[in-house]
């Protein structure tokens, strides 16, 4: 019994070490608790500790659990970039999931391009408004014309800022959702493969 307990503890430590590479402590603890309970149930049913632990490779478990954990996470978490990289790791670690990985990378590139475009629009708006104000002031216009020119300039500036913000915000939401959507696709795809 003592030997079983020690072997289980070593195996759980190894599993924890693998899971820690990918997910946070609360998620790790939940998975560790699940596997500890499952192994103990099998031990209670009379199975041998070595045969039980040989069925489960901690590295494979960690890679299989990542998409399941990510699909449960909220898109509002601040770990979005880490989620994206974990999804990439899982997608490119399996030949079956490689086509999904290529699609995922392509969609990420498009979303990142839109974010970059949004920042370019915002930066251009600031540069343009400064140049416009300087130009209008140097024209020597009468006060009513000067006010109309400033009004047109600032309305345009506000429109460009809004457009840039929409590009950035929309693309950021798409990036967050991509990680969630693809993690659910991976879980579904692996589930189908396990049935076959």
């Amino acid at each position: 019994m003592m030997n079983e307990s020690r072997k289980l503890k070593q195996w759980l430590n190894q599993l924890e070490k693998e899971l820690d590479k990918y997910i946070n402590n609360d998620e790790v603890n939940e998975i560790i608790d699940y596997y500890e309970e499952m192994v103990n149930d099998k031990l209670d049913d009379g199975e041998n500790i070595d045969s039980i632990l040989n069925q489960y490779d901690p590295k494979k478990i960690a890679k299989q659990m990542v998409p399941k954990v990510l699909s449960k996470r909220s898109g509002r978490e601040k770990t979005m970039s880490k989620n994206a990289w974990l999804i990439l790791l899982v997608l490119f670690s399996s030949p079956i999931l490689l086509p999904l990985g290529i699609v995922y990378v392509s969609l990420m590139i498009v979303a990142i391009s839109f974010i970059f475009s949004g920042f370019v629009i915002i930066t251009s708006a600031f540069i343009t408004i400064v140049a416009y104000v300087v130009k209008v002031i140097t024209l020597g216009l009468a006060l009513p014309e000067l006010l109309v020119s400033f009004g047109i300039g600032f309305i345009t500036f506000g429109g460009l800022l809004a457009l840039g913000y929409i590009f950035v915000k929309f693309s950021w939401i798409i990036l967050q959702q991509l990680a969630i959507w693809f993690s659910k696709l991976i879980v579904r795809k692996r589930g189908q493969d396990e049935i076959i």
Side-chain angles (χ1 to χ4, degrees):
M1 187 68 171
M2 182 64 128
N3 194 24
E4 286 180 351
S5 178
R6 188 173 46 84
K7 286 182 180 182
L8 177 58
K9 187 167 177 69
Q10 287 174 341
W11 185 85
L12 289 172
N13 286 339
Q14 187 180 3
L15 178 60
E16 182 177 6
K17 197 163 126 183
E18 290 298 323
L19 291 168
D20 275 337
K21 295 177 185 176
Y22 306 108
I23 54 180
N24 66 43
N25 287 340
D26 292 337
E27 295 160 338
V28 168
N29 291 336
E30 187 177 324
I31 294 167
I32 293 293
D33 290 345
Y34 169 78
Y35 276 96
E36 184 175 16
E37 183 178 331
M38 183 194 62
V39 170
N40 282 325
D41 286 347
K42 288 184 177 204
L43 286 171
D44 291 344
D45 290 342
E47 291 187 44
N48 180 302
I49 186 73
D50 293 322
S51 66
I52 296 170
L53 298 181
N54 287 335
Q55 295 173 21
Y56 303 102
D57 179 17
K59 288 183 181 187
K60 285 183 182 177
I61 291 171
K63 285 187 178 177
Q64 289 174 347
M65 293 308 293
V66 168
K68 289 179 184 178
V69 169
L70 294 181
S71 68
K72 292 178 185 177
R73 284 184 181 173
S74 163
R76 303 211 189 297
E77 287 194 34
K78 296 185 179 179
T79 58
M80 199 283 295
S81 61
K82 186 175 181 182
N83 291 353
W85 290 113
L86 289 174
I87 292 295
L88 278 175
L89 173 77
V90 171
L91 287 171
F92 286 106
S93 69
S94 169
I96 294 171
L97 298 174
L98 193 58
L100 274 179
I102 293 167
V103 171
Y104 182 65
V105 168
S106 301
L107 292 174
M108 281 183 62
I109 290 170
V110 169
I112 290 169
S113 298
F114 274 103
I115 290 173
F116 179 73
S117 298
F119 281 117
V120 167
I121 291 170
I122 291 169
T123 304
S124 300
F126 278 106
I127 292 169
T128 303
I129 193 67
V130 170
Y132 182 78
V133 167
V134 169
K135 182 70 174 173
V136 168
I137 290 173
T138 59
L139 288 176
L141 299 173
L143 185 59
E145 294 168 329
L146 186 65
L147 292 175
V148 168
S149 296
F150 279 151
I152 291 170
F154 283 110
I155 288 170
T156 305
F157 173 69
L160 287 173
L161 283 181
L163 180 64
Y165 176 78
I166 289 168
F167 267 67
V168 172
K169 185 70 172 172
F170 178 72
S171 302
W172 187 253
I173 290 169
I174 293 296
L175 274 175
Q176 289 175 326
Q177 291 304 312
L178 279 175
I180 294 168
W181 293 333
F182 274 84
S183 60
K184 289 179 181 177
L185 276 173
I186 293 167
V187 171
R188 198 173 313 137
K189 178 75 174 148
R190 281 194 172 154
Q192 290 172 351
D193 292 341
E194 287 169 8
I195 290 169
I196 296 170

PDB file of all heavy atoms in Angstrom, residues 15-48:
ATOM      1  N   LEU A  15       2.715  14.432 -13.728  1.00  0.00           N
ATOM      2  CA  LEU A  15       1.576  14.998 -14.453  1.00  0.00           C
ATOM      3  C   LEU A  15       1.448  16.496 -14.154  1.00  0.00           C
ATOM      4  O   LEU A  15       1.248  17.306 -15.063  1.00  0.00           O
ATOM      5  CB  LEU A  15       0.284  14.268 -14.084  1.00  0.00           C
ATOM      6  CG  LEU A  15      -0.994  14.786 -14.728  1.00  0.00           C
ATOM      7  CD1 LEU A  15      -0.930  14.712 -16.247  1.00  0.00           C
ATOM      8  CD2 LEU A  15      -2.207  14.010 -14.216  1.00  0.00           C
ATOM      9  N   GLU A  16       1.585  16.844 -12.898  1.00  0.00           N
ATOM     10  CA  GLU A  16       1.503  18.257 -12.508  1.00  0.00           C
ATOM     11  C   GLU A  16       2.583  19.081 -13.206  1.00  0.00           C
ATOM     12  O   GLU A  16       2.331  20.184 -13.684  1.00  0.00           O
ATOM     13  CB  GLU A  16       1.629  18.389 -10.994  1.00  0.00           C
ATOM     14  CG  GLU A  16       1.500  19.811 -10.497  1.00  0.00           C
ATOM     15  CD  GLU A  16       1.546  19.908  -8.981  1.00  0.00           C
ATOM     16  OE1 GLU A  16       1.795  18.898  -8.311  1.00  0.00           O
ATOM     17  OE2 GLU A  16       1.327  21.025  -8.474  1.00  0.00           O
ATOM     18  N   LYS A  17       3.779  18.543 -13.271  1.00  0.00           N
ATOM     19  CA  LYS A  17       4.892  19.233 -13.929  1.00  0.00           C
ATOM     20  C   LYS A  17       4.581  19.470 -15.411  1.00  0.00           C
ATOM     21  O   LYS A  17       4.837  20.549 -15.940  1.00  0.00           O
ATOM     22  CB  LYS A  17       6.156  18.381 -13.780  1.00  0.00           C
ATOM     23  CG  LYS A  17       7.432  19.103 -14.038  1.00  0.00           C
ATOM     24  CD  LYS A  17       8.577  18.290 -13.468  1.00  0.00           C
ATOM     25  CE  LYS A  17       9.625  18.033 -14.513  1.00  0.00           C
ATOM     26  NZ  LYS A  17      10.713  17.202 -14.083  1.00  0.00           N
ATOM     27  N   GLU A  18       3.997  18.478 -16.069  1.00  0.00           N
ATOM     28  CA  GLU A  18       3.632  18.629 -17.480  1.00  0.00           C
ATOM     29  C   GLU A  18       2.514  19.648 -17.660  1.00  0.00           C
ATOM     30  O   GLU A  18       2.567  20.479 -18.561  1.00  0.00           O
ATOM     31  CB  GLU A  18       3.202  17.277 -18.071  1.00  0.00           C
ATOM     32  CG  GLU A  18       4.312  16.290 -18.245  1.00  0.00           C
ATOM     33  CD  GLU A  18       5.397  16.761 -19.204  1.00  0.00           C
ATOM     34  OE1 GLU A  18       5.084  17.408 -20.220  1.00  0.00           O
ATOM     35  OE2 GLU A  18       6.575  16.482 -18.930  1.00  0.00           O
ATOM     36  N   LEU A  19       1.504  19.584 -16.813  1.00  0.00           N
ATOM     37  CA  LEU A  19       0.368  20.502 -16.920  1.00  0.00           C
ATOM     38  C   LEU A  19       0.776  21.943 -16.632  1.00  0.00           C
ATOM     39  O   LEU A  19       0.252  22.882 -17.249  1.00  0.00           O
ATOM     40  CB  LEU A  19      -0.754  20.076 -15.975  1.00  0.00           C
ATOM     41  CG  LEU A  19      -1.475  18.779 -16.331  1.00  0.00           C
ATOM     42  CD1 LEU A  19      -2.353  18.322 -15.169  1.00  0.00           C
ATOM     43  CD2 LEU A  19      -2.299  18.932 -17.596  1.00  0.00           C
ATOM     44  N   ASP A  20       1.701  22.128 -15.696  1.00  0.00           N
ATOM     45  CA  ASP A  20       2.160  23.472 -15.329  1.00  0.00           C
ATOM     46  C   ASP A  20       2.764  24.219 -16.515  1.00  0.00           C
ATOM     47  O   ASP A  20       2.805  25.445 -16.519  1.00  0.00           O
ATOM     48  CB  ASP A  20       3.189  23.410 -14.197  1.00  0.00           C
ATOM     49  CG  ASP A  20       2.546  23.352 -12.828  1.00  0.00           C
ATOM     50  OD1 ASP A  20       1.382  23.783 -12.700  1.00  0.00           O
ATOM     51  OD2 ASP A  20       3.192  22.872 -11.881  1.00  0.00           O
ATOM     52  N   LYS A  21       3.237  23.494 -17.502  1.00  0.00           N
ATOM     53  CA  LYS A  21       3.822  24.134 -18.686  1.00  0.00           C
ATOM     54  C   LYS A  21       2.770  24.884 -19.489  1.00  0.00           C
ATOM     55  O   LYS A  21       3.098  25.795 -20.235  1.00  0.00           O
ATOM     56  CB  LYS A  21       4.466  23.086 -19.596  1.00  0.00           C
ATOM     57  CG  LYS A  21       5.653  22.374 -19.009  1.00  0.00           C
ATOM     58  CD  LYS A  21       6.148  21.308 -19.978  1.00  0.00           C
ATOM     59  CE  LYS A  21       7.257  20.476 -19.380  1.00  0.00           C
ATOM     60  NZ  LYS A  21       7.669  19.372 -20.279  1.00  0.00           N
ATOM     61  N   TYR A  22       1.519  24.462 -19.361  1.00  0.00           N
ATOM     62  CA  TYR A  22       0.487  24.965 -20.255  1.00  0.00           C
ATOM     63  C   TYR A  22      -0.629  25.762 -19.584  1.00  0.00           C
ATOM     64  O   TYR A  22      -1.146  26.700 -20.174  1.00  0.00           O
ATOM     65  CB  TYR A  22      -0.163  23.797 -21.013  1.00  0.00           C
ATOM     66  CG  TYR A  22       0.821  22.915 -21.734  1.00  0.00           C
ATOM     67  CD1 TYR A  22       1.100  21.633 -21.274  1.00  0.00           C
ATOM     68  CD2 TYR A  22       1.482  23.366 -22.866  1.00  0.00           C
ATOM     69  CE1 TYR A  22       2.008  20.825 -21.939  1.00  0.00           C
ATOM     70  CE2 TYR A  22       2.396  22.567 -23.535  1.00  0.00           C
ATOM     71  CZ  TYR A  22       2.653  21.291 -23.070  1.00  0.00           C
ATOM     72  OH  TYR A  22       3.548  20.494 -23.716  1.00  0.00           O
ATOM     73  N   ILE A  23      -1.040  25.356 -18.396  1.00  0.00           N
ATOM     74  CA  ILE A  23      -2.251  25.944 -17.809  1.00  0.00           C
ATOM     75  C   ILE A  23      -1.992  26.422 -16.384  1.00  0.00           C
ATOM     76  O   ILE A  23      -0.967  26.102 -15.787  1.00  0.00           O
ATOM     77  CB  ILE A  23      -3.434  24.944 -17.859  1.00  0.00           C
ATOM     78  CG1 ILE A  23      -3.056  23.617 -17.206  1.00  0.00           C
ATOM     79  CG2 ILE A  23      -3.875  24.719 -19.285  1.00  0.00           C
ATOM     80  CD1 ILE A  23      -4.147  22.564 -17.210  1.00  0.00           C
ATOM     81  N   ASN A  24      -2.951  27.172 -15.833  1.00  0.00           N
ATOM     82  CA  ASN A  24      -2.743  27.772 -14.510  1.00  0.00           C
ATOM     83  C   ASN A  24      -2.996  26.767 -13.373  1.00  0.00           C
ATOM     84  O   ASN A  24      -3.522  25.678 -13.587  1.00  0.00           O
ATOM     85  CB  ASN A  24      -3.591  29.041 -14.351  1.00  0.00           C
ATOM     86  CG  ASN A  24      -5.070  28.771 -14.338  1.00  0.00           C
ATOM     87  OD1 ASN A  24      -5.544  27.832 -13.697  1.00  0.00           O
ATOM     88  ND2 ASN A  24      -5.831  29.598 -15.033  1.00  0.00           N
ATOM     89  N   ASN A  25      -2.637  27.169 -12.158  1.00  0.00           N
ATOM     90  CA  ASN A  25      -2.668  26.272 -10.990  1.00  0.00           C
ATOM     91  C   ASN A  25      -4.050  25.700 -10.682  1.00  0.00           C
ATOM     92  O   ASN A  25      -4.170  24.522 -10.347  1.00  0.00           O
ATOM     93  CB  ASN A  25      -2.139  26.994  -9.747  1.00  0.00           C
ATOM     94  CG  ASN A  25      -0.640  27.181  -9.802  1.00  0.00           C
ATOM     95  OD1 ASN A  25       0.051  26.491 -10.534  1.00  0.00           O
ATOM     96  ND2 ASN A  25      -0.144  28.130  -9.030  1.00  0.00           N
ATOM     97  N   ASP A  26      -5.085  26.528 -10.773  1.00  0.00           N
ATOM     98  CA  ASP A  26      -6.434  26.033 -10.470  1.00  0.00           C
ATOM     99  C   ASP A  26      -6.841  24.924 -11.441  1.00  0.00           C
ATOM    100  O   ASP A  26      -7.408  23.909 -11.040  1.00  0.00           O
ATOM    101  CB  ASP A  26      -7.461  27.171 -10.533  1.00  0.00           C
ATOM    102  CG  ASP A  26      -7.262  28.184  -9.412  1.00  0.00           C
ATOM    103  OD1 ASP A  26      -6.666  27.811  -8.382  1.00  0.00           O
ATOM    104  OD2 ASP A  26      -7.703  29.333  -9.571  1.00  0.00           O
ATOM    105  N   GLU A  27      -6.532  25.146 -12.711  1.00  0.00           N
ATOM    106  CA  GLU A  27      -6.861  24.144 -13.723  1.00  0.00           C
ATOM    107  C   GLU A  27      -6.034  22.873 -13.518  1.00  0.00           C
ATOM    108  O   GLU A  27      -6.544  21.761 -13.657  1.00  0.00           O
ATOM    109  CB  GLU A  27      -6.624  24.722 -15.119  1.00  0.00           C
ATOM    110  CG  GLU A  27      -7.560  25.871 -15.433  1.00  0.00           C
ATOM    111  CD  GLU A  27      -7.092  26.772 -16.556  1.00  0.00           C
ATOM    112  OE1 GLU A  27      -5.878  26.805 -16.860  1.00  0.00           O
ATOM    113  OE2 GLU A  27      -7.939  27.464 -17.142  1.00  0.00           O
ATOM    114  N   VAL A  28      -4.769  23.058 -13.171  1.00  0.00           N
ATOM    115  CA  VAL A  28      -3.892  21.903 -12.901  1.00  0.00           C
ATOM    116  C   VAL A  28      -4.444  21.095 -11.738  1.00  0.00           C
ATOM    117  O   VAL A  28      -4.555  19.866 -11.808  1.00  0.00           O
ATOM    118  CB  VAL A  28      -2.441  22.363 -12.608  1.00  0.00           C
ATOM    119  CG1 VAL A  28      -1.603  21.219 -12.056  1.00  0.00           C
ATOM    120  CG2 VAL A  28      -1.793  22.940 -13.848  1.00  0.00           C
ATOM    121  N   ASN A  29      -4.783  21.773 -10.654  1.00  0.00           N
ATOM    122  CA  ASN A  29      -5.294  21.075  -9.469  1.00  0.00           C
ATOM    123  C   ASN A  29      -6.569  20.298  -9.758  1.00  0.00           C
ATOM    124  O   ASN A  29      -6.759  19.188  -9.250  1.00  0.00           O
ATOM    125  CB  ASN A  29      -5.531  22.068  -8.327  1.00  0.00           C
ATOM    126  CG  ASN A  29      -4.238  22.629  -7.786  1.00  0.00           C
ATOM    127  OD1 ASN A  29      -3.180  22.012  -7.907  1.00  0.00           O
ATOM    128  ND2 ASN A  29      -4.303  23.816  -7.213  1.00  0.00           N
ATOM    129  N   GLU A  30      -7.428  20.868 -10.584  1.00  0.00           N
ATOM    130  CA  GLU A  30      -8.677  20.192 -10.945  1.00  0.00           C
ATOM    131  C   GLU A  30      -8.381  18.885 -11.699  1.00  0.00           C
ATOM    132  O   GLU A  30      -8.981  17.845 -11.417  1.00  0.00           O
ATOM    133  CB  GLU A  30      -9.525  21.130 -11.811  1.00  0.00           C
ATOM    134  CG  GLU A  30     -10.895  20.611 -12.110  1.00  0.00           C
ATOM    135  CD  GLU A  30     -11.710  21.628 -12.911  1.00  0.00           C
ATOM    136  OE1 GLU A  30     -11.576  22.843 -12.674  1.00  0.00           O
ATOM    137  OE2 GLU A  30     -12.474  21.179 -13.782  1.00  0.00           O
ATOM    138  N   ILE A  31      -7.444  18.943 -12.627  1.00  0.00           N
ATOM    139  CA  ILE A  31      -7.085  17.752 -13.409  1.00  0.00           C
ATOM    140  C   ILE A  31      -6.379  16.726 -12.532  1.00  0.00           C
ATOM    141  O   ILE A  31      -6.668  15.521 -12.609  1.00  0.00           O
ATOM    142  CB  ILE A  31      -6.218  18.153 -14.626  1.00  0.00           C
ATOM    143  CG1 ILE A  31      -7.049  19.002 -15.589  1.00  0.00           C
ATOM    144  CG2 ILE A  31      -5.647  16.915 -15.331  1.00  0.00           C
ATOM    145  CD1 ILE A  31      -6.252  19.705 -16.650  1.00  0.00           C
ATOM    146  N   ILE A  32      -5.484  17.184 -11.662  1.00  0.00           N
ATOM    147  CA  ILE A  32      -4.768  16.277 -10.754  1.00  0.00           C
ATOM    148  C   ILE A  32      -5.768  15.554  -9.851  1.00  0.00           C
ATOM    149  O   ILE A  32      -5.680  14.338  -9.660  1.00  0.00           O
ATOM    150  CB  ILE A  32      -3.732  17.057  -9.899  1.00  0.00           C
ATOM    151  CG1 ILE A  32      -2.608  17.608 -10.775  1.00  0.00           C
ATOM    152  CG2 ILE A  32      -3.182  16.208  -8.777  1.00  0.00           C
ATOM    153  CD1 ILE A  32      -1.713  16.566 -11.390  1.00  0.00           C
ATOM    154  N   ASP A  33      -6.718  16.304  -9.310  1.00  0.00           N
ATOM    155  CA  ASP A  33      -7.740  15.691  -8.447  1.00  0.00           C
ATOM    156  C   ASP A  33      -8.531  14.622  -9.198  1.00  0.00           C
ATOM    157  O   ASP A  33      -8.810  13.555  -8.664  1.00  0.00           O
ATOM    158  CB  ASP A  33      -8.704  16.759  -7.904  1.00  0.00           C
ATOM    159  CG  ASP A  33      -8.054  17.675  -6.884  1.00  0.00           C
ATOM    160  OD1 ASP A  33      -6.964  17.333  -6.372  1.00  0.00           O
ATOM    161  OD2 ASP A  33      -8.632  18.756  -6.609  1.00  0.00           O
ATOM    162  N   TYR A  34      -8.876  14.929 -10.443  1.00  0.00           N
ATOM    163  CA  TYR A  34      -9.639  13.977 -11.250  1.00  0.00           C
ATOM    164  C   TYR A  34      -8.847  12.679 -11.441  1.00  0.00           C
ATOM    165  O   TYR A  34      -9.366  11.577 -11.212  1.00  0.00           O
ATOM    166  CB  TYR A  34      -9.974  14.582 -12.613  1.00  0.00           C
ATOM    167  CG  TYR A  34     -10.514  13.572 -13.594  1.00  0.00           C
ATOM    168  CD1 TYR A  34     -11.834  13.138 -13.529  1.00  0.00           C
ATOM    169  CD2 TYR A  34      -9.686  13.025 -14.581  1.00  0.00           C
ATOM    170  CE1 TYR A  34     -12.327  12.195 -14.413  1.00  0.00           C
ATOM    171  CE2 TYR A  34     -10.168  12.079 -15.469  1.00  0.00           C
ATOM    172  CZ  TYR A  34     -11.480  11.672 -15.382  1.00  0.00           C
ATOM    173  OH  TYR A  34     -11.966  10.737 -16.256  1.00  0.00           O
ATOM    174  N   TYR A  35      -7.588  12.797 -11.853  1.00  0.00           N
ATOM    175  CA  TYR A  35      -6.787  11.590 -12.116  1.00  0.00           C
ATOM    176  C   TYR A  35      -6.454  10.835 -10.829  1.00  0.00           C
ATOM    177  O   TYR A  35      -6.411   9.600 -10.829  1.00  0.00           O
ATOM    178  CB  TYR A  35      -5.520  11.931 -12.913  1.00  0.00           C
ATOM    179  CG  TYR A  35      -5.811  12.000 -14.389  1.00  0.00           C
ATOM    180  CD1 TYR A  35      -6.074  13.213 -15.012  1.00  0.00           C
ATOM    181  CD2 TYR A  35      -5.873  10.845 -15.153  1.00  0.00           C
ATOM    182  CE1 TYR A  35      -6.373  13.269 -16.358  1.00  0.00           C
ATOM    183  CE2 TYR A  35      -6.172  10.887 -16.504  1.00  0.00           C
ATOM    184  CZ  TYR A  35      -6.420  12.104 -17.100  1.00  0.00           C
ATOM    185  OH  TYR A  35      -6.734  12.140 -18.433  1.00  0.00           O
ATOM    186  N   GLU A  36      -6.246  11.561  -9.751  1.00  0.00           N
ATOM    187  CA  GLU A  36      -5.982  10.887  -8.481  1.00  0.00           C
ATOM    188  C   GLU A  36      -7.201  10.055  -8.059  1.00  0.00           C
ATOM    189  O   GLU A  36      -7.074   8.895  -7.647  1.00  0.00           O
ATOM    190  CB  GLU A  36      -5.632  11.913  -7.395  1.00  0.00           C
ATOM    191  CG  GLU A  36      -5.255  11.281  -6.080  1.00  0.00           C
ATOM    192  CD  GLU A  36      -4.806  12.309  -5.052  1.00  0.00           C
ATOM    193  OE1 GLU A  36      -5.056  13.519  -5.228  1.00  0.00           O
ATOM    194  OE2 GLU A  36      -4.193  11.880  -4.056  1.00  0.00           O
ATOM    195  N   GLU A  37      -8.372  10.634  -8.194  1.00  0.00           N
ATOM    196  CA  GLU A  37      -9.593   9.914  -7.835  1.00  0.00           C
ATOM    197  C   GLU A  37      -9.803   8.705  -8.749  1.00  0.00           C
ATOM    198  O   GLU A  37     -10.168   7.617  -8.292  1.00  0.00           O
ATOM    199  CB  GLU A  37     -10.794  10.860  -7.930  1.00  0.00           C
ATOM    200  CG  GLU A  37     -12.097  10.229  -7.500  1.00  0.00           C
ATOM    201  CD  GLU A  37     -13.261  11.217  -7.556  1.00  0.00           C
ATOM    202  OE1 GLU A  37     -13.042  12.436  -7.384  1.00  0.00           O
ATOM    203  OE2 GLU A  37     -14.387  10.750  -7.777  1.00  0.00           O
ATOM    204  N   MET A  38      -9.551   8.897 -10.053  1.00  0.00           N
ATOM    205  CA  MET A  38      -9.737   7.811 -11.004  1.00  0.00           C
ATOM    206  C   MET A  38      -8.784   6.642 -10.709  1.00  0.00           C
ATOM    207  O   MET A  38      -9.195   5.486 -10.681  1.00  0.00           O
ATOM    208  CB  MET A  38      -9.492   8.305 -12.431  1.00  0.00           C
ATOM    209  CG  MET A  38      -9.742   7.239 -13.474  1.00  0.00           C
ATOM    210  SD  MET A  38      -9.093   7.682 -15.091  1.00  0.00           S
ATOM    211  CE  MET A  38      -7.365   7.820 -14.747  1.00  0.00           C
ATOM    212  N   VAL A  39      -7.515   6.955 -10.437  1.00  0.00           N
ATOM    213  CA  VAL A  39      -6.537   5.904 -10.130  1.00  0.00           C
ATOM    214  C   VAL A  39      -6.918   5.202  -8.833  1.00  0.00           C
ATOM    215  O   VAL A  39      -6.873   3.963  -8.742  1.00  0.00           O
ATOM    216  CB  VAL A  39      -5.105   6.479 -10.072  1.00  0.00           C
ATOM    217  CG1 VAL A  39      -4.126   5.448  -9.512  1.00  0.00           C
ATOM    218  CG2 VAL A  39      -4.655   6.944 -11.447  1.00  0.00           C
ATOM    219  N   ASN A  40      -7.315   5.966  -7.830  1.00  0.00           N
ATOM    220  CA  ASN A  40      -7.720   5.352  -6.560  1.00  0.00           C
ATOM    221  C   ASN A  40      -8.938   4.447  -6.721  1.00  0.00           C
ATOM    222  O   ASN A  40      -9.022   3.392  -6.083  1.00  0.00           O
ATOM    223  CB  ASN A  40      -7.981   6.429  -5.498  1.00  0.00           C
ATOM    224  CG  ASN A  40      -6.693   6.973  -4.915  1.00  0.00           C
ATOM    225  OD1 ASN A  40      -5.714   6.234  -4.755  1.00  0.00           O
ATOM    226  ND2 ASN A  40      -6.674   8.261  -4.616  1.00  0.00           N
ATOM    227  N   ASP A  41      -9.885   4.852  -7.582  1.00  0.00           N
ATOM    228  CA  ASP A  41     -11.046   3.993  -7.854  1.00  0.00           C
ATOM    229  C   ASP A  41     -10.610   2.676  -8.488  1.00  0.00           C
ATOM    230  O   ASP A  41     -11.110   1.605  -8.132  1.00  0.00           O
ATOM    231  CB  ASP A  41     -12.046   4.698  -8.767  1.00  0.00           C
ATOM    232  CG  ASP A  41     -12.827   5.797  -8.054  1.00  0.00           C
ATOM    233  OD1 ASP A  41     -12.781   5.844  -6.800  1.00  0.00           O
ATOM    234  OD2 ASP A  41     -13.472   6.613  -8.750  1.00  0.00           O
ATOM    235  N   LYS A  42      -9.675   2.738  -9.411  1.00  0.00           N
ATOM    236  CA  LYS A  42      -9.175   1.516 -10.060  1.00  0.00           C
ATOM    237  C   LYS A  42      -8.409   0.642  -9.068  1.00  0.00           C
ATOM    238  O   LYS A  42      -8.489  -0.581  -9.130  1.00  0.00           O
ATOM    239  CB  LYS A  42      -8.306   1.876 -11.266  1.00  0.00           C
ATOM    240  CG  LYS A  42      -9.117   2.411 -12.425  1.00  0.00           C
ATOM    241  CD  LYS A  42      -8.254   2.662 -13.640  1.00  0.00           C
ATOM    242  CE  LYS A  42      -9.144   3.121 -14.785  1.00  0.00           C
ATOM    243  NZ  LYS A  42      -8.563   2.851 -16.082  1.00  0.00           N
ATOM    244  N   LEU A  43      -7.675   1.298  -8.162  1.00  0.00           N
ATOM    245  CA  LEU A  43      -6.961   0.532  -7.126  1.00  0.00           C
ATOM    246  C   LEU A  43      -7.961  -0.175  -6.207  1.00  0.00           C
ATOM    247  O   LEU A  43      -7.753  -1.330  -5.825  1.00  0.00           O
ATOM    248  CB  LEU A  43      -6.041   1.444  -6.308  1.00  0.00           C
ATOM    249  CG  LEU A  43      -4.762   1.922  -6.998  1.00  0.00           C
ATOM    250  CD1 LEU A  43      -4.062   2.985  -6.144  1.00  0.00           C
ATOM    251  CD2 LEU A  43      -3.832   0.753  -7.276  1.00  0.00           C
ATOM    252  N   ASP A  44      -9.041   0.527  -5.869  1.00  0.00           N
ATOM    253  CA  ASP A  44     -10.082  -0.073  -5.019  1.00  0.00           C
ATOM    254  C   ASP A  44     -10.749  -1.266  -5.707  1.00  0.00           C
ATOM    255  O   ASP A  44     -11.214  -2.190  -5.037  1.00  0.00           O
ATOM    256  CB  ASP A  44     -11.149   0.971  -4.656  1.00  0.00           C
ATOM    257  CG  ASP A  44     -10.618   2.041  -3.708  1.00  0.00           C
ATOM    258  OD1 ASP A  44      -9.539   1.822  -3.095  1.00  0.00           O
ATOM    259  OD2 ASP A  44     -11.270   3.106  -3.593  1.00  0.00           O
ATOM    260  N   ASP A  45     -10.770  -1.224  -7.052  1.00  0.00           N
ATOM    261  CA  ASP A  45     -11.347  -2.342  -7.809  1.00  0.00           C
ATOM    262  C   ASP A  45     -10.364  -3.499  -7.974  1.00  0.00           C
ATOM    263  O   ASP A  45     -10.683  -4.485  -8.631  1.00  0.00           O
ATOM    264  CB  ASP A  45     -11.801  -1.861  -9.198  1.00  0.00           C
ATOM    265  CG  ASP A  45     -13.020  -0.952  -9.123  1.00  0.00           C
ATOM    266  OD1 ASP A  45     -13.704  -0.961  -8.078  1.00  0.00           O
ATOM    267  OD2 ASP A  45     -13.288  -0.239 -10.112  1.00  0.00           O
ATOM    268  N   GLY A  46      -9.170  -3.356  -7.397  1.00  0.00           N
ATOM    269  CA  GLY A  46      -8.200  -4.448  -7.397  1.00  0.00           C
ATOM    270  C   GLY A  46      -7.163  -4.412  -8.512  1.00  0.00           C
ATOM    271  O   GLY A  46      -6.390  -5.355  -8.666  1.00  0.00           O
ATOM    272  N   GLU A  47      -7.130  -3.343  -9.291  1.00  0.00           N
ATOM    273  CA  GLU A  47      -6.131  -3.261 -10.360  1.00  0.00           C
ATOM    274  C   GLU A  47      -4.758  -2.945  -9.778  1.00  0.00           C
ATOM    275  O   GLU A  47      -4.632  -2.345  -8.716  1.00  0.00           O
ATOM    276  CB  GLU A  47      -6.531  -2.196 -11.390  1.00  0.00           C
ATOM    277  CG  GLU A  47      -7.746  -2.578 -12.211  1.00  0.00           C
ATOM    278  CD  GLU A  47      -8.021  -1.586 -13.327  1.00  0.00           C
ATOM    279  OE1 GLU A  47      -7.061  -1.164 -14.012  1.00  0.00           O
ATOM    280  OE2 GLU A  47      -9.207  -1.232 -13.512  1.00  0.00           O
ATOM    281  N   ASN A  48      -3.726  -3.308 -10.521  1.00  0.00           N
ATOM    282  CA  ASN A  48      -2.335  -3.100 -10.134  1.00  0.00           C
ATOM    283  C   ASN A  48      -1.919  -1.666 -10.458  1.00  0.00           C
ATOM    284  O   ASN A  48      -2.222  -1.162 -11.540  1.00  0.00           O
ATOM    285  CB  ASN A  48      -1.454  -4.105 -10.903  1.00  0.00           C
ATOM    286  CG  ASN A  48       0.007  -3.965 -10.569  1.00  0.00           C
ATOM    287  OD1 ASN A  48       0.584  -2.908 -10.742  1.00  0.00           O
ATOM    288  ND2 ASN A  48       0.594  -5.062 -10.118  1.00  0.00           N
TER     289      ASN A  48
END
